[in-house]
Amino acid sequence: MLNSILTTPFTLPSLLMILAMLLRICLSAKVDGYAVDVNCFLSWGNTMRLNGPLQFYQSTGFCDYPPAYTYILALNSATSGLLKEIFKTISPDVIDRIVFRFIPSLADIAICYVIRNRMNRQGYSGRMSCTVASLLAFFPVSILNSACWGQMDSVLCLLLLMVAVWATEQKWQLCLPLYMLAVLVKPQALMLGPLGLIVIIIEWIRNKESR
């Protein structure tokens, strides 16, 4: 019976992902996070929401991020403001922490789903893919980074993971634009640029020889 539960796509795996997400939300509400980055995200989101993209970099005192993630921060700021009006008995700081860490936490869960789906397509058993995805979902470092420290690295990791998946499937029409989006989210994505260029050159040579 246990084997049938572990290999059913939408039972135990889905429940574990929901529990992992709820754990992240609870920790987000309780833990202040890394104050420097947390305050920057709050400030940038509010500035983008109030001034728009054309005036953002002129209006903010300091911002070392490319523009893409600031749009998400603006959405977070607007959502947080709305929830503060609705749930006036809840601390505004708690609402800010939950909202601004929700998308990175969701990206953590999405990474688990992508890896599990990839393993299933590669022929691994449902038990194995479920185990790996669950271990990753409850991996303390990823929980601390997204839900406790309030970082957004999981968003970049999700984008780069999809770039790698689509590159192995030679879906370059999807892979290359997504990589550019990753760079616009966080410039550290450029560190994988040389590796991607090598892969493209190798594929070009292979295709040339096969013609």
Side-chain angles (χ1 to χ4, degrees):
M1 181 177 179
L2 179 60
N3 288 338
S4 63
I5 293 176
L6 287 173
T7 55
T8 302
F10 299 106
T11 54
L12 184 58
S14 297
L15 178 60
L16 289 173
M17 294 303 107
I18 292 172
L19 290 175
M21 187 65 189
L22 290 176
L23 174 62
R24 284 166 167 79
I25 293 174
C26 292
L27 289 173
S28 297
K30 295 293 184 180
V31 182
D32 290 335
Y34 181 54
V36 175
D37 285 349
V38 167
N39 290 331
C40 282
F41 291 153
L42 290 171
S43 175
W44 296 343
N46 189 56
T47 301
M48 176 62 81
R49 179 176 63 86
L50 294 176
N51 297 280
L54 295 180
Q55 300 296 324
F56 172 73
Y57 288 100
Q58 297 177 9
S59 302
T60 189
F62 163 79
C63 182
D64 57 352
Y65 268 54
Y69 196 70
T70 60
Y71 291 101
I72 296 178
L73 294 176
L75 175 63
N76 289 341
S77 180
T79 303
S80 180
L82 178 62
L83 292 177
K84 288 174 186 176
E85 291 295 324
I86 298 175
F87 302 102
K88 295 184 178 180
T89 58
I90 300 177
S91 168
D93 291 338
V94 170
I95 293 177
D96 280 337
R97 290 197 292 266
I98 293 175
V99 170
F100 275 78
R101 300 175 200 182
F102 183 82
I103 290 180
S105 296
L106 194 62
D108 281 341
I109 305 303
I111 289 171
C112 299
Y113 171 79
V114 171
I115 291 176
R116 176 171 169 263
N117 182 62
R118 183 70 175 176
M119 290 183 67
N120 288 336
R121 294 175 61 183
Q122 291 293 321
Y124 290 92
S125 67
R127 175 194 285 269
M128 178 63 73
S129 62
C130 176
T131 300
V132 172
S134 300
L135 289 173
L136 183 59
F138 290 95
F139 186 49
V141 173
S142 65
I143 295 175
L144 287 171
N145 189 63
S146 299
C148 298
W149 272 31
Q151 303 300 300
M152 51 72 65
D153 301 278
S154 58
V155 176
L156 178 64
C157 289
L158 175 61
L159 294 174
L160 293 178
L161 176 61
M162 289 307 305
V163 168
V165 168
W166 284 337
T168 59
E169 297 174 353
Q170 297 186 357
K171 296 180 178 178
W172 302 110
Q173 298 90 338
L174 299 173
C175 173
L176 296 177
L178 188 64
Y179 175 70
M180 293 308 301
L181 176 61
V183 172
L184 291 174
V185 166
K186 201 167 185 180
Q188 281 80 352
L190 289 170
M191 290 188 292
L192 292 181
L195 178 61
L197 181 60
I198 292 172
V199 173
I200 292 175
I201 292 173
I202 292 174
E203 290 297 324
W204 179 79
I205 293 173
R206 285 178 177 174
N207 292 334
K208 184 178 180 180
E209 292 176 348
S210 63
R211 289 197 294 268

PDB file of all heavy atoms in Angstrom, residues 31 120 133:
ATOM      1  N   VAL A  31      10.173  35.173  11.458  1.00  0.00           N
ATOM      2  CA  VAL A  31      11.592  35.534  11.431  1.00  0.00           C
ATOM      3  C   VAL A  31      11.783  36.870  10.709  1.00  0.00           C
ATOM      4  O   VAL A  31      11.256  37.072   9.611  1.00  0.00           O
ATOM      5  CB  VAL A  31      12.428  34.435  10.742  1.00  0.00           C
ATOM      6  CG1 VAL A  31      13.903  34.801  10.763  1.00  0.00           C
ATOM      7  CG2 VAL A  31      12.188  33.091  11.419  1.00  0.00           C
ATOM      8  N   ASN A 120      11.016  11.831 -13.449  1.00  0.00           N
ATOM      9  CA  ASN A 120       9.995  10.917 -13.974  1.00  0.00           C
ATOM     10  C   ASN A 120      10.179  10.687 -15.469  1.00  0.00           C
ATOM     11  O   ASN A 120      10.053   9.562 -15.965  1.00  0.00           O
ATOM     12  CB  ASN A 120       8.599  11.476 -13.701  1.00  0.00           C
ATOM     13  CG  ASN A 120       8.213  11.386 -12.237  1.00  0.00           C
ATOM     14  OD1 ASN A 120       8.741  10.556 -11.495  1.00  0.00           O
ATOM     15  ND2 ASN A 120       7.297  12.240 -11.816  1.00  0.00           N
ATOM     16  N   ALA A 133      12.476  15.072  -4.424  1.00  0.00           N
ATOM     17  CA  ALA A 133      11.751  16.343  -4.383  1.00  0.00           C
ATOM     18  C   ALA A 133      11.399  16.728  -2.949  1.00  0.00           C
ATOM     19  O   ALA A 133      11.483  17.907  -2.566  1.00  0.00           O
ATOM     20  CB  ALA A 133      10.490  16.250  -5.236  1.00  0.00           C
TER      21      ALA A 133
END
